[in-house]
């Protein structure tokens, strides 16, 4: 079993490659739920849905979230009532949110509903939300506001300066069923090139998950989301300074610290390999920009190779 800590699009691209290299039914992704929100009474789980839509081949090709061939009839009708359209929900996408919300109201846990959704999209990979409990990434801005992650990123377009980030509800949250087992019993644990602060740290903030990662006998190998000192996509460059981390491949490795056995950086960061290796983390450089699935598959193969090279008692 190959267990991946996953955020949104970076993780989706990586998982598309990994599922070319190993059988999808051997892959478990533990997915961030800190971005989740309720709009119009509907529960929306952007990272779970982005991964599902990517792997099912139905993601919107330009946006890279939401559905391809999407229409917005419902959003237009909502605008009629003056509902501010800052978070767009397409008609096809709404089907997923309606099903999820209905099942959650019936008392079915998010992890079970997620399995129903992935099966309905024909996926064999296992996606597990980090927790079934309500947790929420909050962005504290330099001007003292406390925003939901989506208010910061979508409504305010990531413009406010970030003072700190917290996962509200984390202290009393529990890992979803099988999350700890997926880490402890894995052959390898891979950390996708997702946002370290609002995707991976929020998974690790759920009590018991970081501990399982430290305890697992499996090698833990991560991929840098920072290439040449710049973020590949998203907002990691705006958030890393808020946790005192440098915006570089070495900075993110240092942020994960002793969780890592191996770290994969892009060829453009080959100069950082020695510095990272000096900290005791085995480091290699390869192509990490997953514009096509062949690159993603080669990257996944390299990660598994590194995992087997670093396997053994820690
Ligand atoms: N991102 C946007 O920039 N604008 C949107 O209106 C928007 C709507 C949306 C609806 C469903 C969904 O699953 C994702 C959506 N996203 C939207 C993407 C999302 O905000 C983020 O990119 C992720 O949360 C970060 O991983």
């Amino acid at each position: 079993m190959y267990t991946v800590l996953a955020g949104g699009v970076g993780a989706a691209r990586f998982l598309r490659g990994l599922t070319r290299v190993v059988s999808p039914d051997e892959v478990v992704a533990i997915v961030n739920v800190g971005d989740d929100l309720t709009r119009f009474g509907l529960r929306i789980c952007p990272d779970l849905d982005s991964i599902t839509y990517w792997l099912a081949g139905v993601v919107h090709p330009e946006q890279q979230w939401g559905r391809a061939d999407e229409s917005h009839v419902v959003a237009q009708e909502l605008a009629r009532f003056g509902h501010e359209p800052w978070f767009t929900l397409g008609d096809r996408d709404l089907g997923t949110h309606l099903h999820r919300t209905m099942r959650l109201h019936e008392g079915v846990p998010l992890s079970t509903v997620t399995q129903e959704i992935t099966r309905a999209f024909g996926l064999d990979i296992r996606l597990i939300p980090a927790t079934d409990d309500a947790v929420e990434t909050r962005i504290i801005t330099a001007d003292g506001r406390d925003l939901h992650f989506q208010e910061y990123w979508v409504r305010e377009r990531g413009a406010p300066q970030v003072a700190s980030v917290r996962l509200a509800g984390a202290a009393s949250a529990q890992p979803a069923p099988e999350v700890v087992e997926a880490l402890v019993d894995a052959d390898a644990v891979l950390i996708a090139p997702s946002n370290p602060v609002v995707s991976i740290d929020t998974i690790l903030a759920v009590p018991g998950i970081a501990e399982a990662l430290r305890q697992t006998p499996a090698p833990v190998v991560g991929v840098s989301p920072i290439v040449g000192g710049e973020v590949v996509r998203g907002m990691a460059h705006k958030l890393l300074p808020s946790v005192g981390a440098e915006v570089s491949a070495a900075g993110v490795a240092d942020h994960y610290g002793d969780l890592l056995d191996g770290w994969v950086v892009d060829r453009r960061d080959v100069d950082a390999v020695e510095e990272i290796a000096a900290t005791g983390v085995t480091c290699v450089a390869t192509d990490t920009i997953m514009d096509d699935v062949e690159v993603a598959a080669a990257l996944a193969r390299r990660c598994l190779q590194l995992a087997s090279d670093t396997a053994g008692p820690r």
Side-chain angles (χ1 to χ4, degrees):
M1 174 171 48
Y2 303 98
T3 301
V4 181
L5 300 191
V9 176
R13 287 167 173 255
F14 182 71
L15 288 165
R16 208 162 60 118
L18 182 62
T19 49
R20 289 278 173 112
V21 173
V22 298
S23 172
D25 60 14
E26 287 186 274
V27 178
V28 177
I30 299 172
V31 182
N32 167 46
V33 288
D35 296 15
D36 296 7
L37 72 165
T38 300
R39 289 277 292 159
F40 307 114
L42 299 178
R43 195 64 184 156
I44 302 156
C45 302
D47 284 356
L48 286 166
D49 290 348
S50 294
I51 294 174
T52 302
Y53 296 162
W54 260 89
L55 295 180
V58 299
V59 76
H60 190 289
E62 280 93 41
Q63 288 173 179
Q64 307 197 19
W65 49 264
R67 296 286 303 274
D69 300 320
E70 188 57 291
S71 58
H72 295 91
V73 176
V74 175
Q76 284 155 15
E77 289 303 316
L78 285 166
R80 184 193 294 279
F81 302 110
H83 293 296
E84 202 195 338
W86 66 268
F87 199 78
T88 312
L89 298 176
D91 299 327
R92 288 181 190 278
D93 195 26
L94 275 166
T96 304
H97 311 316
L98 283 165
H99 172 74
R100 177 189 293 121
T101 306
M102 184 191 82
R103 297 290 283 152
L104 291 173
H105 281 164
E106 288 169 2
V108 179
L110 179 63
S111 49
T112 306
V113 184
T114 301
Q115 265 188 292
E116 293 173 359
I117 293 170
T118 52
R119 281 208 195 110
F121 279 94
L123 303 185
D124 292 323
I125 178 181
R126 190 74 206 280
L127 299 190
I128 314 181
T131 176
D132 280 332
D133 298 322
V135 294
E136 193 170 282
T137 299
R138 306 293 306 184
I139 305 287
I140 315 303
T141 63
D143 58 11
R145 290 178 302 148
D146 184 340
L147 303 177
H148 184 285
F149 169 77
Q150 301 292 357
E151 292 175 321
Y152 159 74
W153 178 238
V154 177
R155 194 186 66 199
E156 306 213 5
R157 298 173 190 278
Q161 214 187 321
V162 178
S164 63
V165 178
R166 69 185 174 94
L167 189 67
S172 55
Q174 288 187 355
E178 295 178 53
V179 163
V180 168
E181 293 81 349
L183 292 167
V184 173
D185 300 338
D187 294 300
V189 177
L190 306 174
I191 303 180
S194 297
N195 189 307
V197 183
V198 292
S199 296
I200 304 301
D201 284 0
T202 47
I203 296 173
L204 299 174
V206 176
I209 296 189
E211 292 76 0
L213 201 55
R214 287 206 166 82
Q215 277 165 17
T216 184
V220 179
V221 168
V223 180
S224 175
I226 303 290
V227 171
E230 283 177 24
V231 70
V232 177
R233 194 179 178 279
M235 72 306 287
H237 57 303
K238 294 172 189 260
L239 298 172
L240 281 165
S242 75
V243 293
E246 189 186 275
V247 184
S248 68
V252 181
D254 186 52
H255 176 68
Y256 289 143
D258 66 358
L259 291 176
L260 292 176
D261 297 304
W263 189 235
V264 179
V265 302
D266 192 79
R267 282 192 205 284
R268 269 160 274 192
D269 293 309
V270 69
D271 291 351
V273 167
E274 226 172 283
E275 173 195 346
I276 295 165
T279 67
V281 175
T282 310
C283 184
V284 297
T286 190
D287 293 329
T288 66
I289 305 291
M290 297 176 281
D291 283 336
D292 69 71
V293 68
E294 301 308 330
V295 176
L299 174 60
R301 208 173 284 118
R302 191 68 193 89
C303 288
L304 294 180
Q305 181 62 51
L306 184 56
S308 96
D309 293 347
T310 58
R314 290 197 201 180

